[in-house]
Amino acid sequence: MAVQYLTPEGMTHPTPYHHVAVGSGTRHVHVAGQIARLADGTPVAPGDLPGQVAQALRNTATGLAGAGATFNDVLRLTFYVTHWHPEKIGEFMTGVERVAEDIGLPLPLPPASLIGVDCLFEPDVLVEVEATALID
């Protein structure tokens, strides 16, 4: 494995993600923002945050696989969520947990940021996921 995840002593704990990732691979993989759409563009889970999180992560897994990577190679995840409020964390994590096993997403997550935004590029898009991976 090209990535080692750490949560060193003295950093906030528990969190649903690791604070540090150490990569030792040579190829960088960057997956652009993925949303809850099927390959043909059909929206998935309109108005449903957990459903959109799950589909966006599925699409991220597909992008990683296309480059020969998995979530075990991911150094960092960035989530953009529209109209974010801290009380939405339960719904958000439900979406993550719904697909984690199926797509090989480790829990706790790799280092991650969740950024609240007013809107994304289309009004029905609630979440977007970006991934950076490092593979040998």
Side-chain angles (χ1 to χ4, degrees), residues 1-5 20-26 73-75 133-136:
M1 175 172 19
V3 179
Q4 176 189 11
Y5 301 122
V20 179
V22 179
S24 60
T26 56
D73 301 307
V74 169
L75 288 169
L134 192 61
I135 56 177
D136 293 323

Side-chain angles (χ1 to χ4, degrees), residues 34-136:
Q34 297 300 301
I35 60 171
R37 297 277 195 275
L38 299 178
D40 67 3
T42 302
V44 174
D48 174 23
L49 180 58
Q52 287 201 18
V53 168
Q55 185 61 43
L57 284 167
R58 283 186 196 98
N59 293 346
T60 303
T62 299
L64 289 168
T70 70
F71 279 105
N72 289 327
D73 301 307
V74 169
L75 288 169
R76 177 164 195 71
L77 291 169
T78 303
F79 296 89
Y80 299 93
V81 182
T82 60
H83 309 293
W84 178 255
H85 296 285
E87 10 346 304
K88 290 185 177 183
I89 193 65
E91 287 180 81
F92 177 85
M93 289 307 298
T94 294
V96 170
E97 292 163 357
R98 185 179 292 172
V99 295
E101 186 175 336
D102 292 342
I103 63 174
L105 179 63
L107 295 176
L109 295 169
S113 293
L114 190 157
I115 301 167
V117 296
D118 288 332
C119 63
L120 290 162
F121 71 100
E122 291 185 10
D124 66 318
V125 175
L126 302 178
V127 66
E128 180 177 291
V129 181
E130 294 179 354
T132 302
L134 192 61
I135 56 177
D136 293 323

